[in-house]
Amino acid sequence: MKQRQFQRGRMIKITVFVFVGLFLCFPDVDASIHEYRMEAFSPKSNAFFSHGGSEGLFASKLHEPTADSSSETKPSFKGKSIISFDSVTFLRPKESAKSQQEMQQNTGLVEAIILEVKDRERIGGASLKSDAICCNKQLADQGSCKLGEVIIQNNPDNLGWPKRIKTFFQGTNEEAKMDFETVEINSTGMYYLYFMFCDPQLKGTLIKGRTVWKNPNGYLPGKMAPLMTFYGFMSLAYLVLGLAWFLRFVQFWKDIIHLHYHITLVIALGMCEMAVWYFEYSNFNSTGTRPMGITLWAVTFVSVKKTLSRLLLLVVSMGFGVVRPTLGGLTSKVVLLGLIYFIATEALELVEHLGNINDFSGKAKLFLVLPVAFLDACFILWIFSSLSKTLEKLQMRRNLAKLELYRKFTNALAMSVLLSIAWIGFELYFNANNPLSEFWQIAWIIPAFWNMLAYALLVVICVLWAPSRNPTRYAYMEGMGEDSDEEGTTLTGNGGDMTMKLERQAIGDDLEEDKRE
C-alpha cells in the first residue's frame, strides 16, 4: 500500500513538473502579431531570406483612406485587411558595416516582399528561364531586372503585387529600421511575408520587431475565423444536451447508477470547453493576442474532456455498472493510461494553441502527435477487446436486453472508428495537396469534424444509457445474480441446468476478477 501511494505521489510530481515546464515555454503568447526576436536569414540560390509570417486574409470591406500614421490621430482600420510593420529593424555584422564608406548613403538593401500564394512563381527568375532569385549582371544587362534586387514579375491583374518594400542601411550604421508602413489587402487569399537580401556582405544579418495582421472583422486568421462561429454553435448544442440529460437525471434520480455521474461530468466538461473556446476566440479577434490564462484553461478543458471521454468509452465497454460492479484489478491500469494520455494531449494542445501562428510548426508538433496517436490506438484496441468479452458474457448469461444494448453501442463505435479512419485519410490527402495552405478557407472543417464526432458519440451513450424507471435494463443487479433474463426466458431440463451452471461459473469468475487489486 505504501509503495502504491509513493508511486502515485511520484506520478503527481512528474505531472506538475511537466505542466510548469510547458507553461514556461510560452512566456508571451502572440497570434496575429508576429514577433521577430533576432531571427536569422537562410541562404537559398543567390539570395538570403527569413519567413515573416503567413495567414489567410479576406479582402477589405472598406476602401476609405486611413488617417496619416505620422499624425496624432490613430489610424482607423475598421473593415480593412492589413499587414502593418511595427519597429522592424535589421542588424548587420560589424565587419559588414566597417567595410562601407561612412559618407555613402545606401550601403545595403533588405526587401520585405508580400505575395499571395498563387503568385509564388512571380518571385525569382523562373519566367526568365533562370534559377536565380536575385538579379545578376546578365539579367540586368538584358533589362529584365535591377542588379542587387529580388526578381519580381508584377501581376497584370493586380497592379503593384507582389508588394516590395525596400529598407537601406546608411553609411557604416549597423542598424536599419523600416518605416512604419501599412499594406492594405484588397484581394482574398493566403499571403506570405518574406524578408530578403541579395548582397553576400550582409550575411549574418538579424531581424527584430513585429508585424500585425488583421482581417476586416478582427484579428482572427482566416483559417480560424469560422471556428469562432462553430464553437458558438457547439456551445448551444452541448447546452441542449445537458438540459435534456439534467431533466432526465432529476426525473429518475432514485434509479441513478455510477455510470450516469461519469456521463454527466463529460457533458459538463464539453459545455465548459466549447464556451471557453468561444470566448477565447472572441477575445483574440478583438485584441489580436491570445490571453495566456483563458487559452490555458481552454487547452486544459480539451485535454481533460478528451481523456475522460476515452475513459468513459473504455469503462462502458468493460461493462462497468452493467455486467460488473467494479473494474477490480484493472482500475490502476485504466487510471495510468488516462493520466499518460492527459499529459501527452496537454503537451500537444499547448504547442498547437500557445505557439506562433506561423504554418511552419514542423518537427516539434510531429514529435508530440505520435505519442497521442499511439495512445489513441491503445484505447481503441482495449475498447474493442473489452467489448468482445462483454458481449460474450452477455450471450452466455442470455441477458437479451443488455446484449441488444451493447450491440447497438458496438455498431455506433465501429461506425465512428470507420469514419475516423476515413477522415484521417482525407486529412493526409488534404495536407499533401495543400502544402502552402491554398485551401485555407475550408481548413477549419478538419478540427470541427473531430468535435462533431465526439459529440455524436456522447449523444449515443446518453440515449442508450439514459436514466429510466427500469434500471435492470442496463444496471448490474447483484441480488439477481445477473443470471436472470429481463425478457422472462425460462430454463428447463438438463440443458437449462447446464446453462445455469455455466452462468454461475462465469459470475464467480467475474467476482474473483473484481476483487483482485
Side-chain angles (χ1 to χ4, degrees):
M1 182 64 70
K2 291 182 178 180
Q3 184 178 3
R4 186 178 301 168
Q5 291 177 348
F6 174 75
Q7 290 176 348
R8 289 177 180 174
R10 186 177 181 183
M11 184 62 69
I12 293 173
K13 290 180 181 179
I14 293 173
T15 304
V16 172
F17 178 78
V18 170
F19 282 140
V20 172
L22 290 170
F23 187 85
L24 294 176
C25 288
F26 304 100
D28 188 20
V29 183
D30 292 325
S32 283
I33 299 175
H34 293 255
E35 295 276 358
Y36 314 118
R37 300 180 177 91
M38 305 301 286
E39 307 289 340
F41 287 74
S42 303
K44 185 174 182 180
S45 185
N46 62 340
F48 296 83
F49 78 97
S50 177
H51 180 245
S54 55
E55 284 187 22
L57 296 173
F58 294 96
S60 298
K61 294 181 178 179
L62 299 176
H63 301 285
E64 298 174 359
T66 60
D68 185 3
S69 60
S70 62
S71 67
E72 296 181 358
T73 305
K74 187 177 179 180
S76 174
F77 302 119
K78 186 176 181 181
K80 293 187 176 184
S81 282
I82 60 165
I83 300 175
S84 64
F85 296 82
D86 184 9
S87 303
V88 176
T89 305
F90 305 103
L91 299 91
R92 61 180 172 180
K94 292 182 179 179
E95 295 76 12
S96 175
K98 290 179 181 180
S99 64
Q100 306 297 329
Q101 298 294 328
E102 187 173 355
M103 301 304 294
Q104 191 174 353
Q105 281 191 331
N106 300 331
T107 56
L109 169 65
V110 181
E111 301 174 78
I113 297 173
I114 306 173
L115 70 149
E116 193 178 349
V117 67
K118 66 181 182 182
D119 291 332
R120 60 186 179 276
E121 297 297 331
R122 296 183 178 276
I123 304 297
S127 59
L128 303 176
K129 297 181 180 180
S130 172
D131 296 331
I133 295 177
C134 293
C135 188
N136 53 36
K137 190 174 185 305
Q138 181 182 358
L139 294 174
D141 291 341
Q142 296 174 1
S144 301
C145 53
K146 189 174 180 180
L147 185 63
E149 294 184 0
V150 175
I151 303 170
I152 297 180
Q153 299 295 320
N154 290 325
N155 187 346
D157 299 326
N158 191 6
L159 297 178
W161 286 86
K163 181 76 67 176
R164 184 205 308 261
I165 303 173
K166 299 179 181 180
T167 302
F168 290 95
F169 286 94
Q170 303 295 322
T172 58
N173 292 340
E174 295 180 18
E175 293 188 4
K177 188 173 182 179
M178 285 187 69
D179 295 330
F180 178 83
E181 186 162 350
T182 299
V183 177
E184 185 175 342
I185 306 299
N186 295 319
S187 176
T188 298
M190 173 60 69
Y191 286 84
Y192 281 75
L193 167 63
Y194 290 99
F195 297 100
M196 305 180 72
F197 63 82
C198 300
D199 188 354
Q201 291 187 350
L202 293 179
K203 184 178 180 180
T205 297
L206 303 176
I207 177 176
K208 65 179 182 178
R210 67 177 192 170
T211 54
V212 179
W213 305 55
K214 179 182 175 296
N215 267 298
N217 296 323
Y219 290 95
L220 271 178
K223 290 195 294 186
M224 299 172 65
L227 286 173
M228 185 173 72
T229 304
F230 172 77
Y231 286 129
F233 169 78
M234 289 302 298
S235 297
L236 293 176
Y238 270 99
L239 183 62
V240 171
L241 178 61
L243 181 60
W245 180 263
F246 176 75
L247 293 175
R248 192 86 177 179
F249 194 95
V250 172
Q251 184 179 2
F252 303 105
W253 67 273
K254 291 183 179 180
D255 300 309
I256 296 302
I257 62 175
H258 287 296
L259 188 61
H260 291 144
Y261 292 103
H262 297 176
I263 296 173
T264 303
L265 180 60
V266 173
I267 294 174
L269 285 171
M271 293 170 62
C272 293
E273 176 197 355
M274 294 300 126
V276 171
W277 272 128
Y278 176 79
F279 287 113
E280 198 268 352
Y281 272 50
S282 179
N283 184 82
F284 178 11
N285 193 49
S286 301
T287 64
T289 58
R290 308 186 78 164
M292 172 69 80
I294 298 178
T295 306
L296 191 61
W297 272 108
V299 164
T300 303
F301 273 124
V302 170
S303 303
V304 172
K305 199 204 80 170
K306 280 185 176 181
T307 303
L308 290 182
S309 297
R310 282 154 178 76
L311 291 177
L312 176 62
L313 291 174
L314 181 57
V315 298
V316 167
S317 302
M318 289 177 171
F320 173 68
V322 179
V323 298
R324 57 197 305 173
T326 67
L327 296 180
L330 296 175
T331 302
S332 57
K333 295 179 181 178
V334 170
V335 172
L336 181 61
L337 178 61
L339 184 60
I340 295 173
Y341 185 83
F342 171 72
I343 295 173
T345 305
E346 182 82 355
L348 176 60
E349 294 290 335
L350 284 173
V351 169
E352 283 188 341
H353 294 98
L354 295 184
N356 224 333
I357 215 68
N358 289 343
D359 293 330
F360 298 99
S361 52
K363 297 179 180 178
K365 183 177 177 181
L366 180 63
F367 178 75
L368 295 171
V369 165
L370 292 177
V372 175
F374 174 76
L375 291 170
D376 274 326
C378 291
F379 266 113
I380 291 173
L381 291 174
W382 199 354
I383 286 171
F384 279 98
S385 174
S386 301
L387 271 176
S388 177
K389 293 179 181 178
T390 301
L391 289 171
E392 185 179 346
K393 290 178 182 179
L394 291 173
Q395 284 178 336
M396 181 180 294
R397 298 176 187 179
R398 297 176 177 268
N399 289 331
L400 301 184
K402 293 179 183 179
L403 184 61
E404 181 65 20
L405 182 72
Y406 266 87
R407 279 176 177 167
K408 291 178 180 178
F409 175 66
T410 303
N411 291 337
L413 199 58
M415 181 62 68
S416 70
V417 171
L418 291 176
L419 286 174
S420 299
I421 294 173
W423 193 256
I424 290 172
F426 170 75
E427 279 192 49
L428 294 173
Y429 174 80
F430 182 85
N431 292 326
N433 290 275
N434 189 40
L436 299 176
S437 300
E438 294 179 77
F439 307 118
W440 59 276
Q441 293 189 64
I442 61 172
W444 67 274
I445 67 173
I446 291 178
F449 170 83
W450 296 112
N451 282 287
M452 290 291 291
L453 183 63
Y455 179 79
L457 266 179
L458 185 57
V459 169
V460 169
I461 291 177
C462 289
V463 171
L464 294 178
W465 276 271
S468 68
R469 286 194 178 90
N470 183 24
T472 58
R473 179 168 61 92
Y474 44 65
Y476 178 84
M477 302 297 290
E478 185 175 1
M480 298 178 66
E482 275 297 290
D483 58 0
S484 62
D485 184 11
E486 291 87 339
E487 301 293 331
T489 304
T490 59
L491 301 175
T492 59
N494 295 333
D497 293 339
M498 183 62 68
T499 303
M500 292 291 287
K501 290 180 181 179
L502 291 174
E503 290 175 5
R504 291 193 183 97
Q505 183 179 355
I507 295 166
D509 293 342
D510 292 344
L511 292 174
E512 287 297 323
E513 182 181 353
D514 293 340
K515 291 177 182 177
R516 293 185 196 132
E517 285 291 342

